[in-house]
Amino acid sequence: MFVLNKSTILKNKEDITRVFRKGGSFSCGPVKIFFLSEPSEPALKVGFSVPKKLIPLAVKRNVIKRRLKEQFRLLPDSIFVNSFGKMFVVYTKNFVCESEVLCYSLTKALTKTLH
């Protein structure tokens, strides 16, 4: 399982803008993933976002972020073999999806992005 801790969370504003500007993207269902492969990074760093414009209530945004992080954490290790760089996961729908839908979308998008 992928561990989400301080060293694997992407929070630096410069890194996030670099991922959006120079990285590629792939979308599947309610999830869009921006990925920038950097061999200098020792491990994969990931960030999560739910736009306020799409989900105006903070409670619902936080629920979606918690679900995204949990489903990302529960993904099998085989997806993250030899993966390095920076990744940003953005929620793109204007309603709250179930965890199963997020799990399927994340798995499909990450297999396309990382391999």
Side-chain angles (χ1 to χ4, degrees):
M1 285 193 260
F2 189 78
V3 179
L4 290 170
N5 56 20
K6 221 173 202 183
S7 64
T8 59
I9 295 290
L10 181 62
K11 287 191 176 182
N12 189 352
K13 189 174 182 178
E14 294 170 359
D15 290 342
I16 293 171
T17 55
R18 192 175 328 125
V19 169
F20 282 117
R21 287 187 182 158
K22 295 183 179 177
S25 67
F26 186 80
S27 116
C28 178
V31 174
K32 186 168 187 176
I33 295 180
F34 294 90
F35 185 77
L36 180 62
S37 177
E38 292 183 339
S40 62
E41 286 291 321
L44 183 66
K45 287 192 168 196
V46 65
F48 299 91
S49 175
V50 179
K52 189 175 184 179
K53 196 177 249 187
L54 295 176
I55 309 287
L57 293 176
V59 174
K60 290 184 180 181
R61 281 197 310 273
N62 292 336
V63 165
I64 295 170
K65 279 192 260 187
R66 280 197 304 273
R67 286 182 183 174
L68 279 172
K69 288 177 184 178
E70 181 64 16
Q71 293 306 320
F72 197 87
R73 188 187 68 78
L74 292 175
L75 290 172
D77 286 336
S78 61
I79 293 177
F80 301 108
V81 173
N82 296 330
S83 59
F84 49 83
K86 295 177 175 74
M87 178 184 303
F88 207 79
V89 180
V90 180
Y91 188 80
T92 58
K93 298 294 180 191
N94 60 354
F95 55 89
V96 179
C97 284
E98 296 297 322
S99 295
E100 294 82 20
V101 174
L102 292 176
C103 179
Y104 174 76
S105 299
L106 276 174
T107 306
K108 189 170 180 183
L110 286 174
T111 53
K112 295 280 187 178
T113 304
L114 295 176
H115 295 101

